[in-house]
């Protein structure tokens, strides 16, 4: 899952980015409101964490302009502005959730999971597709009732495919969600992750749609 983090504070941004990466998210960190608006308009992220007090352009302006441009990416506003009026303005501008600083990393993770579940039309932290099960809250996976040890990136890849079971997921979407805007990632990195998942599950669990992407069937074997 690719998250755009928009935070101009160096110390806080570093801490949040590190925490998100430990939770298996690909993170692109921006520190300027104008850069943030451009990134939101590209709609390359699965979720945006947006600070309000930004240089270049205020976070509320960024959010309002993005929504007027029909950007529907989920946005969690992070701010020290705890007044009711500030929260109402943020939600009215198009925020999907509001997190007041300082906050605990566990709460941030829970808000992200909750919002992504809503965006995917899911009600629970558990995803079951045939013989494969994922627990989003604990990052645990099972295949035919037995626990499977996955790396953070393998878990993220499997989650993306399972959330869209029965549908083709384009290669570009997978790479963006797993690696963000990291141009240093090799062209074969995705194939390596797919191969690792197949070894731990089964070769038939993930289908290759040549020239397009990958898919987990609704009833994988």
């Amino acid at each position: 899952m690719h998250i755009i983090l928009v935070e101009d504070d160096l110390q806080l941004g570093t801490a949040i980015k590190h925490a998100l990466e430990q939770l298996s998210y690909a993170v692109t960190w921006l520190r300027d409101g104008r850069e943030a608006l451009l990134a939101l308009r590209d709609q390359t992220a699965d979720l945006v964490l947006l600070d309000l007090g930004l240089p270049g352009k205020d976070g509320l302006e960024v959010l309002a302009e993005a929504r007027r441009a029909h950007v529907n990416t989920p946005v969690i506003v992070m701010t020290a502005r705890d007044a009711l009026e500030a929260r109402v303005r943020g939600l009215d501008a198009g925020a999907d959730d509001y997190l007041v600083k300082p906050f605990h990393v566990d709460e941030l993770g829970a808000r992200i999971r909750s919002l992504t579940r809503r965006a995917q039309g899911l009600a629970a932290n558990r995803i079951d597709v045939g013989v494969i099960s994922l627990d989003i809250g604990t990052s645990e996976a099972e295949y035919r009732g037995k626990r499977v040890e996955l790396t953070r990136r393998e878990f993220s890849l499997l989650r993306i495919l399972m959330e869209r079971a029965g549908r083709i997921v384009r290669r570009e979407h997978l790479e963006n969600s797993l690696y963000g805007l990291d141009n240093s990632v090799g062209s074969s990195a995705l194939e390596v992750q797919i191969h690792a998942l197949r070894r731990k599950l089964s070769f038939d669990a993930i289908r290759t749609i040549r020239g397009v992407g990958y898919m987990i069937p609704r009833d994988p074997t």
Side-chain angles (χ1 to χ4, degrees):
M1 179 176 176
H2 177 207
I3 294 178
I4 290 179
L5 167 64
V6 189
E7 171 59 65
D8 66 315
D9 183 277
L10 179 60
Q11 184 175 357
L12 182 57
T14 300
I16 295 174
K17 183 176 185 292
H18 176 73
L20 292 173
E21 288 172 341
Q22 291 301 304
L23 293 172
S24 306
Y25 298 119
V27 183
T28 298
W29 179 17
L30 304 175
R31 301 175 63 184
D32 180 270
R34 288 165 296 193
E35 290 182 344
L37 181 57
L38 290 174
L40 263 71
R41 283 176 170 166
D42 284 343
Q43 300 198 65
T44 59
D46 299 293
L47 183 140
V48 177
L49 297 175
L50 179 65
D51 182 35
L52 293 186
L54 296 170
K57 186 181 285 288
D58 184 77
L60 280 180
E61 294 180 46
V62 171
L63 181 56
E65 289 189 32
R67 293 308 190 212
R68 285 197 295 269
H70 306 292
V71 174
N72 56 12
T73 306
V75 175
I76 298 177
V77 165
M78 310 177 299
T79 181
R81 304 175 191 176
D82 191 22
L84 175 61
E85 181 182 355
R87 294 201 302 272
V88 169
R89 287 181 62 205
L91 293 169
D92 283 345
D96 297 277
D97 203 351
Y98 205 99
L99 201 54
V100 177
K101 302 174 185 176
F103 50 79
H104 196 280
V105 170
D106 288 346
E107 181 182 7
L108 175 60
R111 301 268 187 138
I112 292 171
R113 292 192 296 272
S114 176
L115 188 51
T116 52
R117 286 201 309 272
R118 295 205 305 268
Q120 294 292 334
L122 302 171
N125 265 336
R126 187 176 178 88
I127 305 175
D128 296 290
V129 179
V131 294
I132 309 173
S133 299
L134 286 187
D135 189 314
I136 305 302
T138 62
S139 296
E140 293 179 352
E142 292 182 358
Y143 178 68
R144 297 188 180 276
K146 295 183 179 180
R147 184 171 175 179
V148 179
E149 296 292 336
L150 300 178
T151 66
R152 292 196 301 270
R153 193 152 279 164
E154 289 167 358
F155 185 90
S156 297
L157 173 56
L158 184 58
R159 173 181 174 177
I160 295 167
L161 293 170
M162 288 180 66
E163 287 175 340
R164 298 158 178 81
R167 292 180 285 164
I168 300 171
V169 185
R170 298 187 67 85
R171 177 190 181 91
E172 295 83 0
H173 177 82
L174 290 170
E175 289 177 332
N176 182 65
S177 293
L178 290 174
Y179 308 112
L181 303 179
D182 185 358
N183 295 323
S184 65
V185 176
S187 59
S188 63
L190 180 59
E191 283 82 359
V192 171
Q193 298 296 327
I194 292 288
H195 178 70
L197 278 179
R198 284 172 169 158
R199 281 194 299 106
K200 294 179 179 181
L201 303 175
S202 78
F203 181 82
D204 295 327
I206 303 173
R207 295 179 183 173
T208 299
I209 313 301
R210 295 196 178 277
V212 183
Y214 298 90
M215 178 183 73
I216 284 185
R218 293 188 183 278
D219 190 17
T221 58

